[in-house]
Amino acid sequence: MAIKRISVLGASGQLGRSFQHLSHHFPFEIEFYDRSQVDITQVADIENLSSDLIINCAAYTAVDLAEDESGEAYQINRDAVQNIAQHCKSRKIPLIHFSSDYVYHNSLRRPLKESDPTRPKGVYARSKLAGERKITAICDHYYIFRVSWLYGPFGTNFPKTMLRLAKTRDALSIVNDQIGAPTNTLDLAGMILQLCSNPGMLSGDLSGIYNYCNRGTTSWDEIARCIFAQSTDKAIDVQSIPSKDYPTKAMRPRNSRLDLSKFDRTFGIEIRDWKSAMLDCLTFLKTN
């Protein structure tokens, strides 16, 4: 199907802002809505949307706070997603939605496939899986992308936190036993807009769940060293520690490596390695 008009929900978040940054490169009419314009928890707000495709970037993402705010987490990550899915089904339009590597959290020690068991731990993770299940139960035409360790030039994220801390600290303790790959929001948004440019890639028979992240495998301490090597004038001592020495209210997956073979087979869009994407983001932050 040819896409001419797109609605992007959650426009004020780091992913939504990345879509805005790239939108002028693509031949679509794209309308961006933040929560003040379209409250996805309100069915009436969603019913006013008129487009050929909805891209849902809205999510409750405060992983630890979700343990205390479970009602709000489920309202946004499950119930509001159900509202969007029902709207897309009634209008017979595709839905693009973003989920998380947190939904896996199983004991496998290899890159995770979309068909692998999901055993989410914590409110955030369970609410994201619940949202996925609403979409798959309701929608006829959908694309769910499970992404890991999202970051980019907009919003709050790990690289920007590291750069902020480096201004006042000479040493930082960073966990080294959570393994995966970060996902650059500009790469993710660009990939989605590229899909939208090719009607054949958004055919209904390709509906499903797909992993997506930048290629390669790394850990949080290695990412921190990369950031400091490229973006700070002073030496920052990164002290590698196990997760047990940095307790958090919500449990983090140890294995967040995502198998990208299904995405590669289906769409054939190039995905660059995590370090190249990270360096581009750091350059963007430095020059802007």
Side-chain angles (χ1 to χ4, degrees):
M1 61 176 296
I3 303 296
K4 296 181 179 179
R5 190 176 186 183
I6 297 172
S7 295
V8 175
L9 306 175
S12 62
Q14 64 172 340
L15 181 55
R17 291 170 67 185
S18 293
F19 274 102
Q20 292 189 61
H21 180 75
L22 296 175
S23 60
H24 64 279
H25 295 297
F26 292 87
F28 314 117
E29 179 184 350
I30 307 181
E31 297 178 333
F32 294 93
Y33 301 98
D34 61 25
R35 190 168 187 173
S36 68
Q37 298 163 312
V38 173
D39 183 346
I40 61 174
T41 68
Q42 302 299 314
V43 173
D45 279 14
I46 297 172
E47 287 180 344
N48 289 327
L49 296 174
S50 177
S51 59
D52 302 317
L53 168 75
I54 289 180
I55 300 174
N56 180 36
C57 301
Y60 183 105
T61 58
V63 175
D64 291 319
L65 191 58
E67 298 301 306
D68 300 316
E69 295 183 349
S70 60
E72 185 174 354
Y74 275 99
Q75 183 184 42
I76 296 171
N77 291 344
R78 180 193 62 193
D79 302 340
V81 171
Q82 174 177 295
N83 296 340
I84 298 167
Q86 289 173 333
H87 172 82
C88 290
K89 181 177 176 63
S90 66
R91 297 293 182 93
K92 298 181 180 180
I93 61 173
L95 169 61
I96 293 176
H97 177 75
F98 303 96
S99 189
S100 169
D101 62 289
Y102 277 55
V103 304
Y104 289 110
H105 211 146
N106 53 43
S107 59
L108 297 173
R109 297 184 178 181
R110 55 161 173 75
L112 300 164
K113 299 179 180 180
E114 294 85 348
S115 57
D116 284 333
T118 51
R119 298 191 175 104
K121 297 174 175 62
V123 171
Y124 165 75
R126 290 194 293 269
S127 68
K128 290 298 289 182
L129 183 60
E132 286 189 15
R133 289 174 171 168
K134 291 296 183 182
I135 292 172
T136 59
I138 295 169
C139 283
D140 300 315
H141 196 173
Y142 64 88
Y143 306 86
I144 298 170
F145 291 93
R146 291 174 175 165
V147 301
S148 59
W149 303 4
L150 208 63
Y151 76 95
F154 311 107
T156 302
N157 49 58
F158 184 77
K160 295 175 83 170
T161 298
M162 292 297 101
L163 293 173
R164 175 176 54 81
L165 292 174
K167 294 178 181 178
T168 58
R169 305 275 291 276
D170 295 318
L172 289 167
S173 296
I174 310 292
V175 297
N176 66 350
D177 56 358
Q178 297 171 25
I179 306 300
T183 307
N184 186 315
T185 55
L186 289 176
D187 285 20
L188 177 57
M191 177 274 291
I192 296 296
L193 292 173
Q194 191 174 341
L195 287 183
C196 295
S197 301
N198 186 333
M201 289 186 178
L202 287 182
S203 63
D205 58 352
L206 298 181
S207 289
I209 297 172
Y210 298 90
N211 290 334
Y212 182 89
C213 62
N214 288 109
R215 294 195 187 277
T217 300
T218 186
S219 56
W220 291 112
D221 61 330
E222 184 180 351
I223 295 172
R225 291 189 181 96
C226 174
I227 293 167
F228 297 141
Q230 296 296 322
S231 301
T232 58
D233 296 325
K234 64 177 182 179
I236 306 294
D237 180 19
V238 176
Q239 301 167 357
S240 301
I241 61 171
S243 297
K244 65 181 180 61
D245 290 349
Y246 188 78
T248 55
K249 184 166 286 191
M251 188 180 297
R252 269 60 172 174
R254 295 292 182 89
N255 179 24
S256 291
R257 293 176 294 163
L258 300 180
D259 186 310
L260 302 176
S261 57
K262 181 181 177 183
F263 178 90
D264 291 338
R265 288 194 310 271
T266 305
F267 301 116
I269 294 176
E270 182 180 355
I271 305 175
R272 61 179 171 166
D273 67 279
W274 76 265
K275 187 169 287 188
S276 174
M278 179 65 68
L279 296 181
D280 273 2
C281 179
L282 296 173
T283 300
F284 185 101
L285 292 173
K286 186 175 183 179
T287 57
N288 288 272

